[in-house]
């Protein structure tokens, strides 16, 4: 949690969690609050500046921003609100910043795992679906042709082939639906 006084251009309150994140540079940050912007990657700075302008217009801001701290990219979820004096002039901003880097790492991991899993399943499905469809079609033709001649053994064989194809196709469907729900690789 923090509160930033606009008239004094400094933090009037920093929670211990905020201080911990900025040790040992807390005093320097207090003297030079623009250091916060320096931690934001260049490509994200325009978003942060836009959020600052919204606050100065009196709009609350809820945003996750990226910043570099201790040579590590961190994701910070910020909820910041303008504070007005009796004349309704904005005199400070206050809010909370939560380090959500660990959650973002899990989200990124799950997204990558999902992409790899989907790719592997698509290959399996592609590799099995074509041959099984051909076998099923041939078995159906074989059944039709042999039913007229009453070759009981051939009819039984074609039934076995068709059932195996149906089981393999069902297995592919089950694998696709269950793989989306359960994965032993997810910690």
């Amino acid at each position: 949690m923090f509160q930033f006084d606009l008239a004094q251009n400094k933090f009037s309150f920093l929670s211990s969690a905020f201080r911990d994140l900025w040790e040992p540079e807390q005093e320097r940050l207090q003297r030079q609050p623009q250091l916060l912007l320096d931690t934001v990657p260049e490509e994200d700075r325009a978003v942060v500046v836009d959020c600052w302008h919204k606050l100065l217009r009196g709009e609350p801001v809820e945003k996750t921003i990226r910043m570099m701290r201790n040579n590590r990219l961190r994701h910070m979820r910020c909820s910041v609100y303008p504070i007005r004096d009796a004349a309704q002039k904005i005199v400070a901003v206050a809010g909370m910043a939560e380090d959500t880097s660990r959650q973002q790492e899990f989200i990124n991991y799950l997204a990558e795992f999902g992409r790899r899993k989907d790719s592997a399943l698509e290959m399996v499905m592609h590799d099995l679906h074509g041959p099984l469809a051909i076998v099923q079609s041939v078995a159906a033709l074989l059944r039709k042709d042999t039913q007229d001649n009453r070759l009981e053994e051939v009819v039984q064989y074609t039934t076995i082939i068709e059932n195996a194809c149906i089981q393999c196709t069902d297995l592919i469907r089950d694998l696709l639906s269950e793989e989306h729900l359960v994965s032993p690789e997810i910690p």
Side-chain angles (χ1 to χ4, degrees):
M1 294 181 65
F2 62 91
Q3 182 171 324
F4 185 79
D5 186 306
L6 295 173
Q8 295 181 14
N9 196 35
K10 71 177 206 171
F11 290 96
S12 52
F13 173 76
L14 289 174
S15 70
S16 59
F18 196 92
R19 286 188 207 119
D20 291 345
L21 179 64
W22 286 94
E23 282 296 334
E25 298 179 76
Q26 177 187 341
E27 294 302 320
R28 191 168 161 228
L29 178 65
Q30 185 68 333
R31 289 188 314 274
Q32 299 172 305
Q34 69 275 13
L35 289 175
L36 277 173
L37 187 59
D38 293 343
T39 65
V40 175
E42 188 70 38
E43 61 271 16
D44 294 354
R45 288 186 187 175
V47 172
V48 174
V49 169
D50 182 55
C51 290
W52 181 251
H53 290 298
K54 285 181 180 180
L55 285 166
L56 295 179
R57 288 192 307 264
E59 301 173 37
V61 172
E62 293 200 24
K63 192 77 166 171
T64 298
I65 60 169
R66 299 181 314 152
M67 59 190 327
M68 289 297 293
R69 279 303 294 143
N70 304 323
N71 295 320
R72 183 172 169 238
L73 184 67
R74 294 179 182 251
H75 292 80
M76 303 297 287
R77 182 178 22 220
C78 302
S79 299
V80 188
Y81 304 90
I83 298 176
R84 299 175 188 271
D85 63 8
Q88 295 302 307
K89 180 183 174 194
I90 299 170
V91 294
V93 295
M96 298 178 291
E98 177 186 7
D99 187 348
T100 58
S101 301
R102 189 90 167 122
Q103 293 95 323
Q104 190 62 45
E105 288 171 9
F106 283 130
I107 290 167
N108 293 345
Y109 171 80
L110 290 173
E112 177 60 28
F113 180 79
R115 283 190 292 274
R116 282 190 271 150
K117 175 192 52 105
D118 289 347
S119 176
L121 290 174
E122 285 175 15
M123 287 188 293
V124 167
M125 187 173 72
H126 179 266
D127 291 349
L128 288 177
H129 194 269
L132 288 175
I134 291 170
V135 169
Q136 189 173 12
S137 297
V138 170
L141 288 173
L142 186 58
R143 173 191 294 276
K144 184 178 183 263
D145 290 346
T146 56
Q147 279 179 342
D148 296 338
N149 296 331
R150 299 200 171 281
L151 303 171
E152 292 300 321
E153 288 181 351
V154 175
V155 171
Q156 289 174 349
Y157 295 147
T158 57
T159 300
I160 292 169
I161 291 171
E162 284 180 327
N163 288 339
C165 289
I166 290 168
Q167 288 173 347
C168 287
T169 304
D170 290 344
L171 178 64
I172 291 169
R173 279 194 205 102
D174 291 345
L175 180 65
L176 285 173
S177 64
E178 287 190 34
E179 269 301 309
H180 287 285
L181 300 176
V182 182
S183 177
E185 297 296 319
I186 298 174

Coordinates of all heavy atoms in Angstrom, one line a residue, residues 122-165:
E122 N -3.1 -33.1 -31.9 CA -3.5 -32.9 -33.3 C -2.7 -33.8 -34.2 O -3.2 -34.4 -35.2 CB -3.3 -31.4 -33.8 CG -4.3 -30.5 -33.2 CD -4.0 -29.0 -33.5 OE1 -3.1 -28.8 -34.4 OE2 -4.6 -28.2 -32.9
M123 N -1.4 -34.0 -33.9 CA -0.6 -34.9 -34.7 C -1.1 -36.4 -34.6 O -1.2 -37.1 -35.5 CB 0.9 -34.9 -34.3 CG 1.6 -33.6 -34.8 SD 3.4 -33.6 -34.5 CE 3.4 -33.6 -32.7
V124 N -1.4 -36.8 -33.3 CA -1.9 -38.1 -33.1 C -3.2 -38.3 -33.8 O -3.4 -39.3 -34.5 CB -2.1 -38.4 -31.5 CG1 -2.9 -39.6 -31.3 CG2 -0.7 -38.5 -30.9
M125 N -4.1 -37.3 -33.7 CA -5.4 -37.4 -34.3 C -5.2 -37.5 -35.8 O -5.9 -38.4 -36.5 CB -6.3 -36.2 -34.0 CG -7.7 -36.4 -34.5 SD -8.8 -35.1 -33.9 CE -8.2 -33.7 -34.8
H126 N -4.4 -36.7 -36.4 CA -4.2 -36.7 -37.8 C -3.6 -38.0 -38.3 O -4.0 -38.6 -39.3 CB -3.2 -35.5 -38.2 CG -2.9 -35.5 -39.7 ND1 -1.8 -36.1 -40.2 CD2 -3.6 -34.9 -40.7 CE1 -1.9 -35.9 -41.5 NE2 -2.9 -35.2 -41.9
D127 N -2.6 -38.5 -37.6 CA -1.9 -39.8 -37.9 C -2.8 -41.0 -37.8 O -2.7 -41.9 -38.6 CB -0.7 -40.0 -37.1 CG 0.4 -39.0 -37.5 OD1 0.3 -38.3 -38.5 OD2 1.4 -38.9 -36.7
L128 N -3.7 -41.0 -36.8 CA -4.6 -42.2 -36.6 C -5.9 -42.1 -37.4 O -6.5 -43.1 -37.8 CB -4.9 -42.3 -35.2 CG -3.8 -42.8 -34.3 CD1 -4.2 -42.9 -32.8 CD2 -3.3 -44.2 -34.8
H129 N -6.4 -40.9 -37.5 CA -7.8 -40.7 -38.1 C -7.8 -41.2 -39.6 O -8.8 -41.9 -39.9 CB -8.2 -39.3 -38.0 CG -9.7 -39.1 -38.3 ND1 -10.2 -38.9 -39.5 CD2 -10.7 -39.2 -37.4 CE1 -11.5 -38.8 -39.4 NE2 -11.9 -39.0 -38.2
G130 N -6.9 -40.8 -40.4 CA -6.9 -41.2 -41.8 C -6.9 -42.7 -42.0 O -7.8 -43.3 -42.6
P131 N -5.9 -43.4 -41.4 CA -5.8 -44.9 -41.6 C -7.0 -45.6 -41.0 O -7.5 -46.6 -41.7 CB -4.5 -45.3 -40.9 CG -3.7 -44.1 -40.9 CD -4.6 -42.9 -40.8
L132 N -7.5 -45.1 -39.9 CA -8.7 -45.8 -39.3 C -9.9 -45.6 -40.2 O -10.7 -46.5 -40.3 CB -8.9 -45.3 -37.9 CG -7.9 -45.8 -36.8 CD1 -8.2 -45.1 -35.5 CD2 -8.0 -47.3 -36.7
A133 N -10.0 -44.4 -40.8 CA -11.2 -44.2 -41.6 C -11.1 -45.1 -42.9 O -12.2 -45.6 -43.3 CB -11.2 -42.7 -42.1
I134 N -9.9 -45.3 -43.4 CA -9.8 -46.2 -44.6 C -10.1 -47.6 -44.2 O -10.9 -48.3 -44.9 CB -8.3 -46.1 -45.1 CG1 -8.1 -44.7 -45.7 CG2 -8.1 -47.2 -46.1 CD1 -6.7 -44.4 -46.1
V135 N -9.6 -48.1 -43.1 CA -9.9 -49.5 -42.6 C -11.4 -49.6 -42.4 O -11.9 -50.7 -42.8 CB -9.1 -49.8 -41.3 CG1 -9.5 -51.1 -40.7 CG2 -7.6 -49.8 -41.7
Q136 N -12.0 -48.7 -41.8 CA -13.4 -48.8 -41.5 C -14.2 -48.8 -42.8 O -15.2 -49.6 -43.0 CB -13.9 -47.6 -40.7 CG -15.3 -47.7 -40.2 CD -15.7 -46.7 -39.2 OE1 -15.0 -45.7 -39.0 NE2 -16.8 -46.9 -38.5
S137 N -13.8 -48.0 -43.8 CA -14.5 -48.0 -45.1 C -14.3 -49.3 -45.8 O -15.3 -49.9 -46.4 CB -14.0 -46.9 -46.0 OG -14.3 -45.6 -45.4
V138 N -13.1 -49.8 -45.8 CA -12.8 -51.1 -46.5 C -13.6 -52.2 -45.8 O -14.2 -53.1 -46.4 CB -11.3 -51.4 -46.5 CG1 -11.0 -52.8 -47.0 CG2 -10.6 -50.4 -47.4
A139 N -13.6 -52.2 -44.5 CA -14.4 -53.2 -43.7 C -15.8 -53.2 -44.1 O -16.5 -54.3 -44.2 CB -14.1 -53.1 -42.2
A140 N -16.4 -52.0 -44.2 CA -17.8 -51.9 -44.6 C -18.0 -52.4 -46.0 O -19.0 -53.2 -46.2 CB -18.2 -50.4 -44.5
L141 N -17.1 -52.1 -46.9 CA -17.3 -52.7 -48.3 C -17.1 -54.2 -48.3 O -17.9 -54.9 -49.0 CB -16.2 -52.0 -49.2 CG -16.4 -50.6 -49.5 CD1 -15.2 -50.0 -50.3 CD2 -17.7 -50.4 -50.4
L142 N -16.2 -54.7 -47.5 CA -15.9 -56.1 -47.4 C -17.2 -56.8 -46.9 O -17.6 -57.9 -47.4 CB -14.7 -56.4 -46.6 CG -14.2 -57.8 -46.5 CD1 -13.9 -58.4 -47.9 CD2 -13.0 -57.9 -45.6
R143 N -17.8 -56.2 -45.9 CA -19.0 -56.8 -45.3 C -20.1 -56.9 -46.3 O -20.8 -57.9 -46.5 CB -19.4 -56.0 -44.1 CG -20.8 -56.5 -43.5 CD -21.4 -55.5 -42.5 NE -20.6 -55.4 -41.3 CZ -20.7 -56.3 -40.3 NH1 -21.6 -57.3 -40.3 NH2 -20.0 -56.2 -39.2
K144 N -20.3 -55.8 -47.0 CA -21.4 -55.7 -48.0 C -21.2 -56.8 -49.1 O -22.1 -57.5 -49.5 CB -21.4 -54.3 -48.6 CG -22.6 -54.1 -49.6 CD -22.6 -52.7 -50.1 CE -23.8 -52.5 -51.0 NZ -23.5 -52.6 -52.4
D145 N -19.9 -56.8 -49.6 CA -19.7 -57.8 -50.6 C -19.8 -59.2 -50.2 O -20.2 -60.1 -51.0 CB -18.3 -57.6 -51.2 CG -18.2 -56.3 -52.0 OD1 -19.3 -55.7 -52.3 OD2 -17.1 -55.8 -52.3
T146 N -19.4 -59.5 -49.0 CA -19.4 -60.9 -48.5 C -20.7 -61.4 -48.0 O -21.0 -62.6 -47.9 CB -18.3 -61.1 -47.4 OG1 -18.6 -60.2 -46.4 CG2 -16.9 -60.9 -48.0
Q147 N -21.6 -60.4 -47.6 CA -22.9 -60.9 -47.0 C -23.7 -61.6 -48.1 O -24.5 -62.5 -47.8 CB -23.7 -59.6 -46.5 CG -23.2 -59.2 -45.1 CD -24.0 -58.0 -44.6 OE1 -24.6 -57.3 -45.4 NE2 -23.9 -57.8 -43.3
D148 N -23.5 -61.2 -49.3 CA -24.3 -61.9 -50.4 C -23.9 -63.3 -50.6 O -24.7 -64.2 -50.9 CB -24.1 -61.1 -51.7 CG -24.7 -59.7 -51.6 OD1 -25.6 -59.5 -50.8 OD2 -24.3 -58.8 -52.4
N149 N -22.6 -63.6 -50.3 CA -22.1 -65.0 -50.5 C -22.1 -65.8 -49.2 O -21.8 -67.0 -49.3 CB -20.6 -64.9 -51.0 CG -20.5 -64.3 -52.3 OD1 -21.4 -64.3 -53.1 ND2 -19.4 -63.7 -52.6
R150 N -22.5 -65.2 -48.1 CA -22.7 -65.9 -46.9 C -21.4 -66.5 -46.4 O -21.3 -67.7 -45.9 CB -23.8 -67.0 -46.9 CG -25.1 -66.4 -47.2 CD -26.2 -67.4 -46.8 NE -27.5 -66.9 -46.9 CZ -28.1 -66.2 -46.0 NH1 -27.4 -65.7 -45.0 NH2 -29.4 -65.8 -46.1
L151 N -20.3 -65.8 -46.5 CA -19.0 -66.3 -45.9 C -19.0 -65.8 -44.5 O -18.5 -64.7 -44.2 CB -17.9 -65.7 -46.7 CG -17.9 -66.1 -48.2 CD1 -16.8 -65.3 -49.0 CD2 -17.7 -67.6 -48.4
E152 N -19.4 -66.7 -43.6 CA -19.6 -66.3 -42.2 C -18.3 -65.9 -41.5 O -18.3 -64.9 -40.7 CB -20.2 -67.5 -41.4 CG -21.6 -67.8 -41.8 CD -22.6 -66.7 -41.5 OE1 -22.4 -65.9 -40.5 OE2 -23.5 -66.5 -42.4
E153 N -17.2 -66.5 -41.8 CA -15.9 -66.1 -41.2 C -15.5 -64.7 -41.6 O -15.0 -63.9 -40.8 CB -14.8 -67.1 -41.5 CG -15.0 -68.5 -40.9 CD -13.8 -69.4 -41.2 OE1 -13.1 -69.1 -42.1 OE2 -13.8 -70.4 -40.6
V154 N -15.6 -64.4 -42.9 CA -15.2 -63.1 -43.4 C -16.1 -62.0 -42.8 O -15.6 -60.9 -42.4 CB -15.3 -63.1 -44.9 CG1 -15.0 -61.7 -45.5 CG2 -14.4 -64.1 -45.5
V155 N -17.4 -62.3 -42.6 CA -18.3 -61.4 -41.9 C -17.8 -61.1 -40.5 O -17.8 -60.0 -40.0 CB -19.8 -61.9 -42.0 CG1 -20.7 -61.0 -41.1 CG2 -20.2 -61.9 -43.4
Q156 N -17.4 -62.2 -39.8 CA -16.9 -62.0 -38.4 C -15.7 -61.2 -38.4 O -15.5 -60.3 -37.5 CB -16.7 -63.4 -37.8 CG -18.0 -64.2 -37.5 CD -17.7 -65.6 -37.0 OE1 -16.6 -66.0 -37.0 NE2 -18.7 -66.2 -36.5
Y157 N -14.8 -61.4 -39.3 CA -13.5 -60.6 -39.4 C -13.8 -59.2 -39.6 O -13.2 -58.3 -39.0 CB -12.6 -61.2 -40.5 CG -12.1 -62.6 -40.2 CD1 -11.8 -63.4 -41.3 CD2 -11.8 -63.0 -38.9 CE1 -11.3 -64.7 -41.0 CE2 -11.3 -64.3 -38.7 CZ -11.1 -65.1 -39.8 OH -10.6 -66.4 -39.5
T158 N -14.7 -58.9 -40.5 CA -15.0 -57.5 -40.8 C -15.7 -56.9 -39.6 O -15.4 -55.7 -39.3 CB -16.0 -57.4 -42.0 OG1 -17.2 -58.1 -41.8 CG2 -15.3 -57.8 -43.3
T159 N -16.5 -57.6 -38.8 CA -17.0 -57.1 -37.6 C -15.9 -56.7 -36.6 O -16.0 -55.6 -36.0 CB -18.0 -58.1 -37.0 OG1 -19.1 -58.4 -37.9 CG2 -18.6 -57.6 -35.7
I160 N -15.0 -57.6 -36.5 CA -13.8 -57.3 -35.6 C -13.1 -56.0 -36.1 O -12.7 -55.2 -35.3 CB -12.9 -58.5 -35.6 CG1 -13.6 -59.7 -34.9 CG2 -11.6 -58.1 -34.9 CD1 -12.8 -61.0 -35.0
I161 N -12.8 -55.9 -37.4 CA -12.1 -54.7 -37.9 C -12.9 -53.5 -37.6 O -12.4 -52.5 -37.2 CB -11.9 -54.9 -39.4 CG1 -10.9 -56.0 -39.7 CG2 -11.4 -53.6 -40.1 CD1 -10.8 -56.4 -41.2
E162 N -14.2 -53.5 -37.9 CA -15.1 -52.3 -37.6 C -15.1 -52.0 -36.2 O -15.0 -50.8 -35.8 CB -16.5 -52.6 -38.1 CG -16.6 -52.5 -39.6 CD -18.1 -52.7 -40.1 OE1 -18.8 -53.5 -39.5 OE2 -18.5 -52.1 -41.1
N163 N -15.2 -53.0 -35.3 CA -15.2 -52.7 -33.9 C -13.9 -52.1 -33.4 O -13.9 -51.2 -32.6 CB -15.6 -54.0 -33.1 CG -17.0 -54.4 -33.2 OD1 -17.9 -53.5 -33.6 ND2 -17.3 -55.6 -33.0
A164 N -12.8 -52.6 -33.9 CA -11.5 -52.1 -33.6 C -11.4 -50.6 -34.0 O -10.8 -49.8 -33.3 CB -10.4 -52.9 -34.2
C165 N -11.9 -50.3 -35.2 CA -11.8 -48.9 -35.7 C -12.7 -48.0 -34.8 O -12.3 -46.9 -34.4 CB -12.3 -48.8 -37.1 SG -11.1 -49.6 -38.3

